[in-house]
Amino acid sequence: MGESEPLHKTSPMRIMLVTTGLKLGGAEQQVVALAREFARIGHAVLIISLTSGSDIPLPGGVAVEILDMRKTPWSMMRALWRARQLVMQWRPDVVHAHMVHANLFARLLTCVADCPPLICTAHSFREGGKARMLAYRLTDRLASLNTHVSSDGRAGMIHAGAACAQRMLVVPNGIDVGRFYPDSGLRERTRAEFGIKPAARLIVSVGRLVPEKSQDLLIRAFGIATTGTDTRLLIAGAGPNRDALQAQVEAAELGHRVALLGARSDVPALLNAADLFVLSSDVEGMPLVLAEAFACGCPVVATDASGVAEVLGELGTIVPRQDARALAGAMSAALTSGRGGPDLEAARRGRVVMHFAVATIARRWLDLYAGLAKLAVPFTKNA
């Protein structure tokens, strides 16, 4: 704790954030985290969500508009018209869209409203198939600037022809380092809650239970790496793969050592309790959970999905995707080494504080916003 930064010197701005939704995904949580930080330092913020529902606590002082857009032409046109009204009424200095549907929606918005500069941020290495890549390409010039959360993702978008290299920057996601930090008391309480003995080892993984996260690989690797040991695996997250993963756990007779926890609001507690965090994904954009683990001082083993190396640097262990034995070997070695002591824990946290604190990332965005606003003629369509 204690790494909060002084107020940013940029003059107060009116920032409109457009997101596909407000469910429990990494991109959605990043939008809310940025909104909270912008509001904290004195900027006016409006979040527009294309879809209904919210699983994320929304910050005070931030306006939210739910468009409840459905997959019908009439609903899409109605949502676009409402967004146009909001632009004209609220008069933002910048519009910043996140994720593929919101990016394309915001680009269309520039065709029907006199918009300020528009930034479109992609969060996944795979923003979609050929149709979406074509849509990105055809609407590229409607955005003032495109960004991606990782260098790998940026390269992938450019290779797919979805974006122009000269108009696409990398701005990583950020985390609240005041929420994720080492806490020995929290570690002890959480381990006691789950019945983890002092000499036992605990592996934690956090992520949506979807195919691209490959938790089935993690469960296989866990069975290989920890046979005959007092080691537990807790997987936090919800999603359509839950039943299949539970069946896999039971078939492998690991039910006494592996637990699917569902969605959790106590991720800092889980990361403090863990002796190791493991990410088994095939596809990522910029896996923010790795930064959260590092901020809590926890060692990490991860597959070589997009953005992983950028977060971990030289402080984590990276193995090939879909290689259960390589993942098992790395997990076994990491458990043997343990958390590594105060100096190594501090080094992990220090990397996050320097490169991925949300206050730092918010300042980068504000600098970009201010630069684009200076170049723009107020309320003229982007060419």
Side-chain angles (χ1 to χ4, degrees):
M1 293 192 301
E3 289 89 353
S4 60
E5 298 290 340
L7 299 184
H8 195 268
K9 296 180 181 179
T10 302
S11 299
M13 301 183 71
R14 297 179 67 79
I15 302 166
M16 178 179 285
L17 301 175
V18 185
T19 176
T20 300
L22 289 169
K23 298 297 184 180
L24 275 178
E28 294 89 339
Q29 293 186 69
Q30 185 63 190
V31 171
V32 172
L34 287 173
R36 181 181 294 110
E37 183 63 18
F38 292 151
R40 184 187 72 84
I41 57 180
H43 301 279
V45 184
L46 168 63
I47 297 176
I48 295 179
S49 175
L50 302 189
T51 56
S52 61
S54 175
D55 296 331
I56 307 172
L58 298 174
V62 172
V64 179
E65 181 78 19
I66 305 295
L67 299 184
D68 194 22
M69 189 174 79
R70 310 294 174 86
K71 294 181 179 180
T72 66
W74 167 247
S75 181
M76 293 177 186
M77 290 302 299
R78 185 181 63 180
L80 196 61
W81 188 257
R82 176 56 183 151
R84 177 184 184 275
Q85 291 178 319
L86 289 167
V87 168
M88 303 312 296
Q89 294 167 4
W90 205 71
R91 298 184 65 83
D93 296 304
V94 65
V95 177
H96 187 178
H98 294 259
M99 298 179 286
V100 58
H101 296 96
N103 288 339
L104 296 174
F105 179 90
R107 290 177 181 186
L108 290 178
L109 180 61
T110 69
C111 298
V112 299
D114 287 329
C115 283
L118 168 64
I119 299 177
C120 292
T121 294
H123 285 260
S124 177
F125 184 78
R126 297 178 188 165
E127 284 285 281
K130 291 182 179 180
R132 288 184 183 175
M133 294 301 97
L134 178 61
Y136 261 126
R137 185 181 315 143
L138 294 176
T139 60
D140 179 68
R141 287 289 168 179
L142 296 175
S144 305
L145 179 68
N146 300 305
T147 73
H148 204 288
V149 295
S150 76
S151 296
D152 288 344
R154 174 183 180 272
M157 295 283 285
I158 294 169
H159 179 74
C164 173
Q166 291 76 17
R167 287 166 30 81
M168 191 168 216
L169 304 179
V170 174
V171 181
N173 288 333
I175 70 163
D176 181 356
V177 295
R179 181 170 177 245
F180 294 90
Y181 59 92
D183 186 328
S184 58
L186 183 60
R187 173 178 170 83
E188 291 178 7
R189 292 192 301 273
T190 307
R191 289 173 70 90
E193 175 189 339
F194 285 100
I196 309 296
K197 299 176 182 178
R201 292 290 178 261
L202 174 62
I203 300 171
V204 167
S205 186
V206 179
R208 290 176 298 122
L209 305 185
V210 292
E212 55 265 34
K213 299 295 184 180
S214 293
Q215 285 99 347
D216 59 324
L217 176 78
L218 171 58
I219 293 168
R220 292 202 307 273
F222 176 81
I224 297 170
T226 65
T227 300
T229 68
D230 189 2
T231 307
R232 297 269 300 278
L233 170 62
L234 302 180
I235 301 176
N241 274 22
R242 181 183 176 88
D243 289 346
L245 293 172
Q246 187 62 52
Q248 179 186 359
V249 168
E250 293 170 2
E253 299 182 347
L254 292 173
H256 60 299
R257 296 200 294 130
V258 177
L260 304 180
L261 302 181
R264 302 282 295 203
S265 60
D266 59 348
V267 173
L270 295 175
L271 295 176
N272 269 283
D275 298 292
L276 175 66
F277 182 88
V278 179
L279 182 87
S280 52
S281 297
D282 286 335
V283 180
E284 287 287 348
M286 185 261 186
L288 206 56
V289 69
L290 300 184
E292 293 170 351
F294 264 14
C296 293
C298 187
V300 170
V301 168
T303 50
D304 59 350
S306 175
V308 167
E310 293 172 64
V311 179
L312 298 186
E314 301 298 319
L315 295 175
T317 302
I318 302 175
V319 301
R321 282 162 285 178
Q322 286 302 320
D323 189 333
R325 292 205 170 273
L327 184 59
M331 290 163 60
S332 180
L335 289 172
T336 299
S337 298
R339 287 177 70 104
D343 289 345
L344 190 49
E345 289 189 5
R348 296 181 188 118
R349 178 168 175 79
R351 176 174 176 79
V352 174
V353 170
M354 180 175 293
H355 298 291
F356 304 111
V358 71
T360 300
I361 302 305
R363 288 197 302 275
R364 290 184 61 179
W365 283 122
L366 290 169
D367 287 340
L368 282 174
Y369 297 165
L372 288 174
K374 288 178 182 177
L375 296 175
V377 177
F379 286 80
T380 58
K381 293 178 184 177
N382 296 307

